[in-house]
Amino acid sequence: MREIPEQTRQVACAAFPHGSLAMRVRESVGTVFADAEFADLFAKRGHPALSPAFLAMVSVLQYTEGLTDRQAADAVRGRLDWKYCLSLELTDSGFDASVLSEFRSRLVTGEHTDRLLSRVLEVLAAHDLLGPGSRQRTDATHVVADLRLLNRLELVVETMRATLEALAAAAPGWLAAHTRLDWWDRYARRASDYRLPQVLPARDELFRTVGQDGLRLLESAYGDYAPDWLREIPAVQVLRQVWVQQYVRDPDGRPRARESKDLPPGSVSIGSPYDAEARYGIKRGMAWRGYKAHFTETCRADRPRLIVHVGTTEASRADVETTAARHTALEAAGLKPDQELVDAAYVSIDHILTAQRHGIELTGPLPPDSGWQARDPDAFDRTHFAIDFDNQHVTCPNGKQSRYWREAHSRDGLPIVQVTFRLPDCTPCPDRARCTRSERNARAMTFRPREQFEAQQRIRADQATDEWKERYALRAGVEGTMAQASSRCGIHRARYRGLARTHLQHVLTAIALNFVRTDAWLTGIPLASAWTSRLTRLHATLAATL
């Protein structure tokens, strides 16, 4: 960006004698983005090309205040502190709000999203506000997709209508030649349930009719005489996927609805034709359709707490599956932590060991033994057995050795060891009720190989100590990041549709929070304490007086 015009500097400083966030960011970190690094983000045609560095900074300022595109464009035209930050003349008339949407499309298409965060972290590191090592903490939160939840009938009708709309724009001549007359009325309006039949037989008949219409359209689109590019239209591909998930063919070739038990799981099912990547997720009793946002932040006492990694996944994807990719990205960026604090959803013994090999101590509550014996204090759990990995046998508390040792893999593909004891040893045993609930079979055990098993035992013992609990208590601070992202940037609801665009929203949110926190750190604003309700504070006061 160019230097701040003198007239803009004088008027802005007079209007904001103590500065504002936008002005202080410009003064503290200077020019963040450069056109030379984002030259491929210039608009190619249709209108004068605005600087991508300029538009990137506008997008970040937009997120620091939670503005819409129109509000951000108005702020560029009318706010002195934004003109100061963006080096604009007072007479600059700004741009149309649609430019921001087009700029985001170029970011997503070229996969430049993560470059924005990387550039900001480089600038902050150059100002000694960020460094490698120390501790980091990670957490995830739910993100509801920007769509309306549809029942099965609404889904197929709206998917068919959306496909016809897309074809009407992309191939109107072809569509006119392959459309039936009754389609014009059936798919002319959005599929709202109150407009659809209310009687069950009529709804079933409509479901079959829509299935036949969609099948006819797909057969035409994938026919020998259809243009090859026609089947590459995203709406056509979504139609094909929805029909596979919702219909099966009768022996006569006619489509009929799948039974509920044959429907695909929420991890792959499409819930709306307008965001085919949004998935169904459930966590701690809360269900939603959309995505997850994963934020990793530093937690050094002598530096601002900055977000150094952002991940966006489908809502159905397990948190622990993101661990390896996150560590690889942090190591590549030179921001690998010495210790990462996470909750139980990010922890498995295999990921802990893998992180250790990369020099990262992954710290989180390792799930306890799930067997009923571990929950019964009078029962014999695995800790009561002596496992000899060298000779491949297990000795029970009464001195009996196992007869069967087999190395196998679990349903998730993890290596395990399966052990079974002798029935003649277990049947007359006086402690049988403390060992197994089976009336006929001998005691059987399943556990991980030596490296994983010994690490499990060591970590579970460590987690019971006060020292580990005190060290792990620092992770709780990441909840404040999620609260700040929600209140300032609306992180819990997707602004855009699709995984890539939602990830862009999360990256811009992270950059905005980094600027807010950097400004607070440099101006000496202390961290806010945990919020408590007035009723709780009153109760504490009354309790103290008694």
Side-chain angles (χ1 to χ4, degrees):
M1 289 186 184
R2 58 186 180 181
E3 293 295 323
I4 303 172
E6 186 58 31
Q7 186 179 19
T8 301
R9 180 185 296 275
Q10 292 178 1
V11 175
C13 291
F16 297 90
H18 302 292
S20 69
L21 173 63
M23 295 173 65
R24 289 193 294 267
V25 166
R26 177 60 191 270
E27 291 296 329
S28 60
V29 300
T31 300
V32 179
F33 305 106
D35 288 338
E37 299 175 355
F38 299 95
D40 45 355
L41 290 176
F42 276 99
K44 299 298 188 295
R45 61 179 184 176
H47 45 72
L50 290 174
S51 162
F54 168 80
L55 292 176
M57 197 63 197
V58 171
S59 299
V60 173
L61 293 176
Q62 174 186 3
Y63 271 75
T64 61
E65 302 185 24
L67 304 180
T68 65
D69 287 354
R70 191 173 298 278
Q71 290 171 334
D74 290 341
V76 172
R77 276 189 293 271
R79 286 181 48 175
L80 293 173
D81 57 336
W82 279 42
K83 289 182 180 293
Y84 182 97
C85 180
L86 299 169
S87 303
L88 297 178
E89 298 285 352
L90 294 178
T91 56
D92 194 296
S93 59
F95 52 82
D96 186 80
S98 62
V99 171
L100 291 174
S101 176
E102 296 168 357
F103 176 66
R104 288 194 299 269
S105 296
R106 296 197 295 275
L107 276 171
V108 172
T109 303
E111 298 182 353
H112 301 291
T113 300
D114 291 321
R115 289 173 55 192
L116 296 179
L117 180 60
S118 298
R119 174 57 185 164
V120 170
L121 296 178
E122 290 174 3
V123 171
L124 295 176
H127 286 78
D128 198 28
L129 297 170
L130 179 66
S134 192
R135 293 176 178 172
Q136 296 176 7
R137 52 196 180 192
T138 300
D139 200 8
T141 190
H142 68 279
V143 181
V144 180
D146 181 27
L147 51 83
R148 180 171 63 91
L149 296 180
L150 306 173
N151 59 43
R152 292 183 64 184
L153 180 56
E154 288 178 305
L155 173 62
V156 296
V157 174
E158 190 62 23
T159 301
M160 184 67 180
R161 194 191 74 84
T163 306
L164 293 175
E165 287 285 324
L167 291 173
W174 182 91
L175 181 62
H178 294 82
T179 302
R180 298 182 56 173
L181 293 179
D182 55 346
W183 290 7
W184 302 102
D185 294 329
R186 188 175 301 142
Y187 306 109
R189 297 183 297 176
R190 286 188 178 274
S192 299
D193 196 53
Y194 72 90
R195 291 175 176 167
L196 300 175
Q198 302 300 310
V199 182
L200 185 58
R203 293 174 71 89
D204 291 341
E205 180 61 28
L206 179 58
F207 198 92
R208 288 191 294 269
T209 301
V210 175
Q212 294 173 3
D213 294 344
L215 184 60
R216 177 189 176 101
L217 183 62
L218 288 171
E219 289 174 345
S220 299
Y222 283 83
D224 295 336
Y225 299 102
D228 292 339
W229 57 265
L230 198 67
R231 64 201 63 168
E232 300 300 325
I233 296 176
V236 175
Q237 296 181 359
V238 171
L239 177 68
R240 183 178 62 84
Q241 294 175 41
V242 170
W243 255 238
V244 169
Q245 294 181 359
Q246 296 295 328
Y247 293 97
V248 293
R249 287 199 182 192
D250 286 332
D252 59 0
R254 299 180 61 187
R256 62 176 174 84
R258 287 184 179 271
E259 297 183 9
S260 299
K261 63 180 181 180
D262 294 329
L263 291 174
S267 59
V268 297
S269 65
I270 297 176
S272 171
Y274 303 109
D275 192 347
E277 295 176 298
R279 294 291 182 264
Y280 179 82
I282 184 168
K283 188 174 184 180
R284 299 189 183 98
M286 183 188 69
W288 76 99
R289 181 171 286 276
Y291 305 94
K292 286 182 185 176
H294 304 259
F295 285 171
T296 300
E297 67 173 7
T298 60
C299 47
R300 293 179 58 175
D302 59 341
R303 294 288 190 279
R305 296 175 178 178
L306 301 176
I307 300 172
V308 294
H309 185 267
V310 177
T312 306
T313 64
E314 303 88 348
S316 59
R317 188 177 181 187
D319 293 348
V320 71
E321 296 178 12
T322 68
T323 301
R326 180 173 62 256
H327 290 170
T328 300
L330 288 170
E331 186 172 10
L335 296 171
K336 183 182 70 174
D338 298 327
Q339 182 184 44
E340 184 184 22
L341 304 171
V342 296
D343 62 20
Y346 287 98
V347 175
S348 75
I349 188 59
D350 296 277
H351 287 86
I352 290 177
L353 294 175
T354 300
Q356 287 178 354
R357 298 186 188 102
H358 288 83
I360 301 174
E361 181 184 352
L362 183 64
T363 303
L366 193 66
D369 186 350
S370 59
W372 69 267
Q373 296 93 339
R375 299 189 298 271
D376 187 346
D378 295 328
F380 292 152
D381 63 4
R382 291 194 190 101
T383 60
H384 291 81
F385 292 75
I387 302 177
D388 188 342
F389 285 95
D390 293 329
N391 297 309
Q392 295 188 343
H393 64 74
V394 178
T395 304
C396 79
N398 289 325
K400 304 299 183 180
Q401 287 189 357
S402 61
R403 70 170 180 86
Y404 180 79
W405 177 291
R406 176 174 177 266
E407 296 180 356
H409 288 82
S410 67
R411 289 180 296 178
D412 298 327
L414 300 176
I416 57 175
V417 176
Q418 296 175 331
V419 170
T420 304
F421 283 82
R422 294 179 175 85
L423 191 59
D425 292 335
C426 290
T427 300
C429 180
D431 293 321
R432 178 181 176 84
R434 302 173 63 186
C435 198
T436 179
R437 290 175 176 172
S438 175
E439 297 180 357
R440 298 182 178 179
N441 298 324
R443 174 68 185 266
M445 297 175 60
T446 300
F447 48 87
R448 301 300 307 279
R450 168 179 279 181
E451 182 184 18
Q452 290 87 343
F453 180 81
E454 293 178 350
Q456 279 179 335
Q457 302 304 108
R458 182 177 64 254
I459 293 172
R460 285 170 177 164
D462 188 31
Q463 288 176 179
T465 64
D466 293 337
E467 180 184 358
W468 186 93
K469 294 176 182 178
E470 182 179 355
R471 186 169 68 250
Y472 182 69
L474 186 61
R475 192 213 71 87
V478 75
E479 303 293 347
T481 297
M482 297 305 178
Q484 187 180 28
S486 176
S487 61
R488 182 177 282 270
C489 304
I491 191 67
H492 290 306
R493 185 164 292 277
R495 283 193 175 199
Y496 321 116
R497 291 172 176 170
L499 181 64
R501 291 178 182 272
T502 304
H503 179 58
L504 174 59
Q505 173 188 349
H506 299 162
V507 168
L508 291 175
T509 296
I511 296 174
L513 295 185
N514 283 346
F515 283 161
V516 170
R517 293 178 171 196
T518 298
D519 177 63
W521 174 267
L522 295 176
T523 55
I525 299 176
L527 295 173
S529 58
W531 180 86
T532 55
S533 68
R534 294 184 179 89
L535 184 62
T536 302
R537 293 196 296 269
L538 176 60
H539 180 268
T541 302
L542 294 175
T545 59
L546 296 178

